[in-house]
Structure formats: C-alpha cells, structure tokens
Amino acid sequence: MSRRSGILEFAVLGLLRESPMHGYELRKRLNTSLGVFRAFSYGTLYPCLKTLVANGWLIEEPGNDTEAAPLTGRRAKIVYRLTTEGKEHFEQLLSQTGPEAYEDETFAARFAFFGQTSRDVRMRVLEGRRSRLEERLEKMRLSLARTRERLDDYTLELQRHGMESVEREVRWLNELIESERAGRDLKGSAPGEPGSRDTTSGASGGLPRPGDDPRPDTPDDTAT
C-alpha cells in the first residue's frame, strides 16, 4: 500500500467512526477537512472503500432512500458503517507515534483527528514533528550559508521564504506542546492565535461538521 493510500484509509476510518456516511458525503468531508484530499476523485475513494469492506473494517448498508429509488430510476445510496474490527484497527493506527505519524504527507491527517487521540500520543507526535522540522531547518541554514554568494536575489528570497515557513510551523508546534504540557485544550486559545481552532471537542477531531461546507453540493451522489 502506498503512503497516500494509507492516509486515505486512515481518514475514511476516522470519519466513519463519527457516524455512518455514504460515498458522496465522505468525499465532501475529505475535501473540506483536509487539503491533501482535494485532488482525490470518486475513482480513488471507492476502491479504498471496497478494500476496507473486504478487510472487514466496513460494512455496506442500503441508505434511507431505498424505497424512493424505484420511483426515480436512481440507484439507492450505499451507506458505509464502521465495524468493531474497523474501530479497533483505527484505534491501533491512532496510537502510532513513529515517523509515519509526523512526516509531511501524514501529519495533517493525524492532527485532524487529535480530538480522538490520547494526550500522551498527541505529545509524542507533536514532539516528533517538531524535531523533524528543527533538523530540516538546521540543514536549510547550513545550505544557505554555503551557497548564499552564488545565489541571485530571487533564489535567495525563495530560500528565505522556505526557512520562514518552517520557522513558523516550529513556533506553532512549540505553542501546541506547551498547551498539552499544561493540560490545556485548544479552546483556551484566543481567536486568531495559533491553536485557536478547536480540535479536542467532538468526535470528529476538529473536522468540519456536515453542513459546514459553504460550497454548493453537486448532484452526483446516487451511486453510494
């Protein structure tokens, strides 16, 4: 399994732990909750769902519109529900604190579900992410010091911009780690400050609730 496929499976299991959903609703939540999934299509999501069903982590159930389907000629929606085995598998994934939890490709998905994660696991993931970025920042500084004289102004500015982005994330992680150590959740942060978004309340781990998406729905939601 590719890392990207693994992230998608993790996110799908996490969202379905909150409540059963059909495929269109799942895709909508993935698109609005995690930027990494904005490019995912139905052709990517549904093979993932079929794999999770085959593994016994999800079951398929007919939606509430089954009776109306013959009248409209449209296929009834399929609702996906997390099984007991699926919940246990997700909790196992949620407890992982190694590099797979804080690399660039996976950290956003893990952070989005911090509301379902124990405090000690959150701390290890945050500290691992900070350590990784501090190592990257040191390498960037050394590289810039060696090559500064050979770079033109625009390339130099791009290098500085990259360093500033990493420095901002390190400061943000420092604030999150300080809050975790003090036993505070993110609801204690002032509006507009790093960490002001609540990721500790609710079963969705800080993900937008259904209906939060300001964009209009698309009509193609009949297959699942």
Side-chain angles (χ1 to χ4, degrees):
M1 179 194 305
S2 68
R3 178 172 294 181
R4 191 168 175 82
S5 297
I7 300 169
L8 179 59
E9 290 189 4
F10 172 83
V12 167
L13 291 171
L15 289 172
L16 291 177
R17 189 188 188 194
E18 177 186 351
S19 65
M21 300 182 199
H22 55 75
Y24 170 70
E25 185 179 6
L26 264 173
R27 181 172 181 248
K28 181 180 176 183
R29 294 290 301 282
L30 289 166
N31 287 344
T32 58
S33 302
L34 299 171
V36 70
F37 295 112
R38 292 192 183 278
F40 274 61
S41 64
Y42 283 106
T44 304
L45 176 60
Y46 291 131
C48 171
L49 291 170
K50 295 301 182 183
T51 297
L52 295 176
V53 170
N55 288 340
W57 298 331
L58 302 182
I59 57 174
E60 297 177 331
E61 299 176 337
N64 294 330
D65 60 346
T66 305
E67 295 181 358
L71 300 178
T72 62
R74 301 168 65 186
R75 294 173 56 192
K77 298 175 183 177
I78 296 174
V79 173
Y80 295 90
R81 181 185 299 274
L82 199 66
T83 64
T84 299
E85 293 78 7
K87 181 178 179 181
E88 292 173 351
H89 179 64
F90 177 71
E91 290 174 350
Q92 181 183 14
L93 295 175
L94 208 60
S95 68
Q96 295 178 356
T97 59
E100 69 279 356
Y102 52 75
E103 296 289 359
D104 291 347
E105 300 89 346
T106 54
F107 177 71
R110 283 302 305 270
F111 188 82
F113 292 96
F114 263 21
Q116 302 183 38
T117 308
S118 64
R119 188 180 299 275
D120 63 320
V121 171
R122 293 199 302 264
M123 279 290 294
R124 289 197 291 271
V125 173
L126 290 172
E127 289 174 342
R129 176 66 177 171
R130 180 178 63 179
S131 177
R132 182 57 51 88
L133 290 181
E134 287 174 339
E135 293 174 1
R136 182 182 303 169
L137 189 58
E138 182 61 22
K139 291 179 180 178
M140 294 173 73
R141 287 170 175 162
L142 291 174
S143 175
L144 184 60
R146 289 194 303 266
T147 61
R148 181 187 299 270
E149 299 301 326
R150 301 195 300 271
L151 299 177
D152 62 52
D153 290 343
Y154 294 100
T155 305
L156 184 60
E157 189 62 29
L158 185 62
Q159 295 284 342
R160 288 172 176 164
H161 175 69
M163 287 179 55
E164 289 172 358
S165 298
V166 177
E167 288 170 345
R168 282 195 299 270
E169 185 170 352
V170 170
R171 289 195 297 270
W172 174 67
L173 290 167
N174 285 337
E175 294 180 6
L176 290 173
I177 290 170
E178 181 182 351
S179 294
E180 292 289 347
R181 286 176 176 165
R184 300 192 302 268
D185 62 28
L186 300 191
K187 290 183 291 185
S189 301
E193 292 182 350
S196 61
R197 180 183 178 189
D198 178 13
T199 61
T200 59
S201 62
S204 63
L207 296 173
R209 298 286 184 177
D212 285 350
D213 182 15
R215 295 176 299 178
D217 292 351
T218 56
D220 185 13
D221 63 348
T222 58
T224 58

